[in-house]
């Protein structure tokens, strides 16, 4: 018997999707949720397997956000928000909390230039008295897809071709042609904002919708935003080539040098809030990560300020081993049923355990600065001194008890087990509004980039036509102008 006859090989692919165990997968697009909107069910084995395999693809570099720079500082509350949340670190104006912040590019490897057109990560870890709280976001307020089931796919599309190891946009356009909701994020990526001047001049967004809970138990939807006090600045395509050709770490250097010189970067922190009972009033789903909440309907509410006034002491210890997790919340802040967020709650801790080990939260940069206690112990990389004899709960020999109960959302999930997209897709109104808000020269640069990327010979006529159709549905003038550059007739 040939022992290699049935070895794993792409040459033996089936014509349909399966799990690693070979079981057929009838839906590789939607997570298994309660009703059409969620929350996601842990019994969705295909989702868990897909995410778990994806998170173990790179060793030891981060799968995404590999290229980054960190700095330390503080967050100070400037406005009373206790009517919205009972979070201790937001308890009163003037309260300060130590933080560490990591900025990053998303797709490219650890040694890649910081001038690449790419979203920028903007992650903040608050070392609060009630444990660590992480806001893990980007400089764009939206994302390409709305379901965690598609996250490995969108990253695979943007990552280099596994055959040639070259990043090629024909792969991106091919995959995302099946996801017209991605056009909203392209409005940011192909805009001037796609290449920030440096990390000090970018905005930040939590992207996901979370919930705030006050002492009375009232729940409010919330989106988080960071706005730099020094303004937003970007590089033109020509400037990016020039800067990247002379210093591939220009943004890291700018951040480090600015803090060393006492020119401390600062951002203002804002909430956008919505009452959950009002969510059906709008033409978009507020839990859809491909949509913004218009500021005309949901104005920014000032909360505090973030100041970075200390460079990290060691790059490996406080940047490479630094681990953020959107699952790390504190009393007064909780998750929503956002399908991307629900998947990230599992994915981030799982990838950290793979990359850094099961005890990654014992590393000084990740460990909480408040007193903490549990029976998680031993395993790889354990650095905690333990001399107790009891490692179970409860015990009459250990006085530890449950914490005081704090309010959490009590909405009752109702619905059948389903894999389906949300009902309010509405993929083109917001991109059109964004395009029409720009000055003529900004529109022209955006159109030029689209024409350049779509002119790739590997972008087929079918894919090119699909994207022109999407652009036309957002704004007829936009679609016609891109089509004319490509000598393609626009169709709706």
């Amino acid at each position: 018997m040939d022992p290699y006859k049935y070895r794993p090989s792409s040459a033996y692919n089936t014509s349909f999707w399966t799990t690693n165990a070979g079981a057929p997968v009838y839906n590789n697009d939607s997570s298994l949720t309660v009703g059409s909107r969620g929350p996601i069910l842990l019994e969705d084995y295909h989702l868990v397997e897909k995410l778990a395999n994806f998170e173990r693809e790179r060793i030891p570099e981060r799968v995404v956000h590999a290229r980054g720079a960190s700095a330390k500082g503080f967050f100070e509350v400037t406005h009373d928000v206790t009517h919205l949340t009972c979070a201790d670190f937001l308890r009163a104006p003037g309260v300060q909390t130590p933080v560490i912040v990591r900025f990053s590019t998303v797709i490219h490897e650890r040694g890649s230039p910081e001038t690449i057109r790419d979203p920028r990560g903007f992650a903040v870890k608050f070392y609060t008295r009630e444990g660590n709280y992480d806001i893990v976001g980007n400089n764009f307020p939206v994302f390409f897809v709305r379901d965690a089931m598609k996250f490995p796919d969108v990253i695979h599309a943007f990552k280099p071709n596994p055959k040639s190891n070259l990043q090629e946009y024909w792969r991106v356009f091919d995959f995302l042609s099946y996801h017209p909701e991605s056009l909203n994020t392209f409005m940011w990526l192909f805009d001037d904002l796609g290449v920030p001047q440096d990390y000090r001049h970018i905005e930040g967004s939590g992207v996901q919708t979370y919930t705030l809970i006050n002492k009375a138990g009232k729940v409010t939807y919330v989106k988080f935003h960071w706005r730099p006090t020094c303004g937003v600045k970007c590089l033109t395509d020509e400037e990016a080539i020039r800067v990247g050709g002379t210093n591939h770490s220009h943004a890291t250097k700018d951040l480090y040098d600015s803090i060393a010189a006492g020119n401390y970067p600062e951002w203002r922190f804002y909430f956008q809030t919505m009452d959950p009972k009002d969510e059906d009033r709008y033409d978009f789903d507020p839990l859809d990560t491909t949509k913004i909440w218009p500021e005309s309907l949901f104005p920014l509410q000032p909360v505090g300020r973030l100041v970075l006034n200390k460079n990290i002491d060691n790059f490996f210890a406080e940047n490479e081993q630094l681990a953020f997790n959107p699952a790390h919340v504190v009393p007064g802040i909780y998750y929503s049923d956002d399908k991307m967020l629900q998947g990230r709650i599992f994915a981030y801790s799982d990838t950290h355990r793979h990359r850094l080990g099961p005890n990654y939260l014992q590393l000084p940069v990740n460990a909480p600065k408040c007193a903490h206690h549990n029976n998680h112990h031993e395993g790889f990389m354990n650095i905690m001194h333990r001399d107790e004899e009891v490692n179970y709960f409860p015990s009459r020999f250990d006085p530890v008890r449950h914490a005081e109960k704090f309010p959490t959302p009590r909405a009752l999930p109702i619905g059948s087990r389903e894999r389906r997209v949300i009902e309010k897709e509405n993929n083109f109104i917001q991109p059109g509004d964004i395009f029409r808000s720009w000055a003529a020269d900004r529109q022209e640069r955006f159109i030029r980039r689209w024409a350049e990327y779509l002119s790739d010979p590997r972008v087929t006529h079918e894919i090119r036509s699909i994207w022109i159709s999407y652009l036309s549905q957002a704004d007829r003038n936009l679609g016609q102008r891109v089509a004319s550059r490509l000598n393609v007739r626009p169709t709706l």
Side-chain angles (χ1 to χ4, degrees), residues 9 66 75-76 90 99 105 134 138 141 146 156 164 166 206 244 256 259 282 306 338 355 374 404 412 487:
S9 169
F75 174 79
E76 180 181 16
L90 298 174
V99 301
T105 56
D134 295 349
N138 290 329
R146 55 169 68 103
H156 281 168
S164 66
L166 299 174
Y256 190 94
I259 294 174
Y282 306 102
L306 168 70
D338 176 336
R355 191 173 68 88
N374 57 53
E404 182 179 344
L412 180 65
N487 294 318

Side-chain angles (χ1 to χ4, degrees), residues 24-35:
V25 174
Y26 75 87
N27 186 328
N28 190 39
D29 291 313
S30 302
S31 303
L32 185 64
T33 56
V34 178

